[in-house]
Amino acid sequence: IELAINYQFWYCQMCFQLAKANMDLGNISAAVTTLAAGAEYAGRINAQNTRILFSLSQAMALLVQRNFDVADVILKEVGVILENAEQSGLALTKAEVLSLKVFHHVLQVSEYIWQGMIKSARQCLKQLHSCYKQLTQLDASATQTVVAHNTAEAFYWMSPQQLFLLVYVVSVMHALQQGYTDKAESYALKALHLIEKQRTYDNDTILSAYQLILLEQLVLTYLLHGNTSKALKELHKCTNVYQKHHTHLKHHRVALHTALGLYAMVLPDGLDNAQAQFTAALKHTAEPEQIAFIKLNSAIVHLKQGLPSEQLHSLLESIEPSKMPNKCHSLKASSYCIQGIAAMFEGRLPDAKRKLRETVVMANKADLNKLTGCAFLLLASIFMKMGNYKDAIDMVKSASEIAYRIPDTSLQLWSVDLLATLHGKSEQPEEEAHFTTKKLEILNTMDSETSKAVNLPEHNLLQWLDSEFPACSMSMV
């Protein structure tokens, strides 16, 4: 790199390559330093497009490093530059400005999703869709990188096809965290279809990465829908992609074990398998957010299993809200919810109410619909124990509205079960019979799905714990 200082293209090219090599090795601080040097150099030679590419790449590395404050400073500075690009006379084409805006908005949306601030991401996601739409409407000639005047400007972040798929990926993740499973499923299926079409002429590894992320999101979507057998089949596809492209996708193993754990949680007598999968997942990650998410789900398993008080308190202490990863709003809100459940189980109802009300406040602030619904139902259970049936019914009705709007089968079942019980206690036999019927309908559908799932050969994926790949993975293709 030092020898290439007078060769603009090669200097920038090698800075990007060195930064990528450091990222691949986990040397993120070194990557950040290299990208900052690249941005300074590109600015000095007036290669504005490349300078902003370096700055946005630096912000991306800082986000991976969880250095949100410094990343936010860079994103804010770049945002101002791009908004005023035309007025300030920067040597950027319209296509370059739009491409950089797409990169910028992807990072903003990703940061909000990372932090569980889904409501805050909404406006950035709209801007992302708008910029990408404008980019696709430009003439093909306008999207070509202009390099005649400056060879250091021969760089771009992604091809239009890759950008298109990435917009889908972040849209799926945003919809799923909001709880809007129908929208997440629709986006994911469209994107996966496009990946298959694109694979006929482009077998780039990034397509496999997109494919695996989308399949993982589909698994979660189908589990929330109550389509257990569909979720399991998508999980099998995940393990096939993971095994086929293991070199580039090995960091996804933790997500696959976690998804298998979530699948096991919805099965009758599946809690031991769920705990085994969560334990396996923890062996393959040092990421604070992943560890916290797994431990939160593990706590639910232990609460259902009736773990001895001493062990349970030790686990609950490790997932207190104050111990959640910095700035991760959704995990902190989830922690309050689980602490509230534990307090309920131990009969500490005032403490449980306080924690669950905090959950509602935090979940509403971030548009975490499923978590809001869960907290409403837990509060309704507390009101019912206290004999306050009217407020309990009102609370359940609010949760039921969320359950059918997003939709979420487990919330629907929980809602109608509570309503049947509450109307029974309120001596309203007709209402009780109505909700009991609805409960049985949902239960029959869920039982049919889980029975179908456990009889599929893919159910053997639950045996995958220590081996490098599942024994049943590629053999069932």
Side-chain angles (χ1 to χ4, degrees):
I1 291 176
E2 290 175 3
L3 292 172
I5 193 74
N6 295 318
Y7 300 91
Q8 296 175 357
F9 170 82
W10 290 109
Y11 185 91
C12 294
Q13 170 84 331
M14 285 188 280
C15 280
F16 279 123
Q17 288 176 334
L18 179 60
K20 183 181 184 303
N22 278 314
M23 289 293 290
D24 290 343
L25 292 169
N27 299 332
I28 300 174
S29 295
V32 169
T33 301
T34 301
L35 292 165
E40 191 274 331
Y41 176 84
R44 211 162 3 106
I45 62 172
N46 200 32
Q48 298 302 330
N49 178 63
T50 302
R51 176 172 73 91
I52 296 172
L53 274 176
F54 272 120
S55 293
L56 289 173
S57 299
Q58 184 185 0
M60 182 166 61
L62 287 163
L63 290 177
V64 173
Q65 199 179 37
R66 313 296 193 279
N67 195 339
F68 297 117
D69 292 338
V70 179
D72 286 341
V73 170
I74 295 173
L75 289 173
K76 188 174 181 180
E77 289 175 354
V78 170
V80 171
I81 291 169
L82 292 175
E83 283 305 311
N84 299 301
E86 192 174 334
Q87 299 92 313
S88 59
L90 283 181
L92 293 171
T93 66
K94 186 171 184 179
E96 286 172 336
V97 171
L98 287 171
S99 294
L100 292 167
K101 281 185 175 181
V102 168
F103 190 178
H104 180 254
H105 292 316
V106 163
L107 294 181
Q108 286 182 310
V109 174
S110 298
E111 181 181 6
Y112 284 129
I113 291 174
W114 211 333
Q115 295 178 353
M117 295 294 292
I118 306 306
K119 188 179 286 186
S120 302
R122 199 182 300 158
Q123 185 58 35
C124 294
L125 190 62
K126 285 181 182 177
Q127 292 172 331
L128 171 59
H129 286 167
S130 174
C131 287
Y132 184 76
K133 187 177 180 182
Q134 292 176 60
L135 187 61
T136 57
Q137 290 171 346
L138 294 177
D139 292 336
S141 58
T143 61
Q144 300 300 310
T145 304
V146 180
V147 298
H149 65 292
N150 192 341
T151 57
E153 291 286 52
F155 299 96
Y156 58 91
W157 184 41
M158 287 184 176
S159 69
Q161 294 84 0
Q162 291 170 341
L163 281 178
F164 185 45
L165 289 169
L166 183 60
V167 172
Y168 265 112
V169 169
V170 295
S171 299
V172 169
M173 295 174 77
H174 182 265
L176 187 58
Q177 282 218 24
Q178 270 191 301
Y180 292 132
T181 50
D182 284 343
K183 184 190 287 188
E185 180 185 8
S186 174
Y187 282 156
L189 291 174
K190 284 178 184 175
L192 286 166
H193 176 68
L194 289 168
I195 287 172
E196 288 307 312
K197 285 177 65 177
Q198 197 168 322
R199 206 184 286 284
T200 58
Y201 58 87
D202 181 2
N203 202 27
D204 193 272
T205 52
I206 199 167
L207 289 181
S208 300
Y210 286 161
Q211 183 185 20
L212 186 49
I213 293 169
L214 290 163
L215 288 170
E216 289 166 354
Q217 302 299 302
L218 262 186
V219 170
L220 301 178
T221 297
Y222 288 141
L223 286 175
L224 292 170
H225 276 173
N227 295 331
T228 317
S229 59
K230 263 188 170 182
L232 184 56
K233 288 178 180 178
E234 296 305 319
L235 254 171
H236 175 237
K237 291 179 187 177
C238 287
T239 58
N240 283 339
V241 176
Y242 168 77
Q243 184 168 345
K244 189 175 180 181
H245 304 279
H246 175 252
T247 306
H248 303 285
L249 301 175
K250 56 187 176 183
H251 58 286
H252 277 264
R253 178 163 183 169
V254 59
L256 297 179
H257 282 300
T258 304
L260 281 165
L262 296 173
Y263 160 70
M265 283 179 74
V266 304
L267 303 177
D269 305 317
L271 295 180
D272 286 340
N273 278 326
Q275 190 52 50
Q277 288 296 331
F278 293 145
T279 301
L282 287 171
K283 294 176 184 176
H284 296 279
T285 183
E287 301 290 340
E289 292 82 6
Q290 289 181 334
I291 291 170
F293 181 78
I294 294 164
K295 282 189 172 183
L296 288 167
N297 282 286
S298 183
I300 295 172
V301 170
H302 284 315
L303 283 165
K304 288 182 175 182
Q305 288 179 319
L307 194 71
S309 294
E310 189 176 319
Q311 289 176 264
L312 183 60
H313 287 164
S314 175
L315 176 60
L316 290 170
E317 188 179 336
S318 72
I319 55 167
E320 287 178 352
S322 62
K323 293 181 180 176
M324 289 296 100
N326 185 33
K327 292 195 174 182
C328 202
H329 185 91
S330 57
L331 290 175
K332 190 173 183 180
S334 300
S335 173
Y336 272 113
C337 187
I338 289 168
Q339 301 288 342
I341 296 171
M344 271 182 67
F345 278 25
E346 294 178 346
R348 295 181 285 112
L349 298 187
D351 190 32
K353 277 203 304 187
R354 181 180 62 79
K355 287 181 166 70
L356 291 169
R357 281 173 172 155
E358 183 63 27
T359 304
V360 171
V361 170
M362 293 188 73
N364 282 338
K365 182 180 177 182
D367 230 1
L368 302 169
N369 289 299
K370 180 178 174 69
L371 194 56
T372 300
C374 286
F376 279 158
L377 291 171
L378 290 163
L379 283 166
S381 298
I382 292 173
F383 289 143
M384 183 171 69
K385 285 183 179 182
M386 297 169 65
N388 185 353
Y389 302 144
K390 182 181 180 303
D391 284 348
I393 288 173
D394 289 343
M395 197 69 75
V396 178
K397 284 180 177 177
S398 296
S400 182
E401 187 274 325
I402 293 171
Y404 283 91
R405 172 165 50 87
I406 57 180
D408 185 305
T409 306
S410 61
L411 283 184
Q412 290 169 13
L413 176 61
W414 193 357
S415 298
V416 296
D417 185 29
L418 273 175
L419 284 170
T421 304
L422 283 163
H423 285 297
K425 289 181 178 293
S426 303
E427 297 181 353
Q428 297 172 311
E430 288 184 10
E431 290 295 312
E432 180 186 7
H434 168 71
F435 286 110
T436 299
T437 301
K438 290 185 76 172
K439 170 188 167 182
L440 291 173
E441 287 173 358
I442 297 172
L443 266 176
N444 287 336
T445 303
M446 291 178 75
D447 287 346
S448 173
E449 268 296 309
T450 53
S451 176
K452 194 190 302 183
V454 298
N455 287 298
L456 289 170
E458 291 89 344
H459 182 68
N460 290 323
L461 286 170
L462 285 177
Q463 305 306 313
W464 180 39
L465 296 170
D466 300 314
S467 59
E468 188 174 11
F469 304 114
C472 59
S473 186
M474 297 297 286
S475 61
M476 290 188 290
V477 177

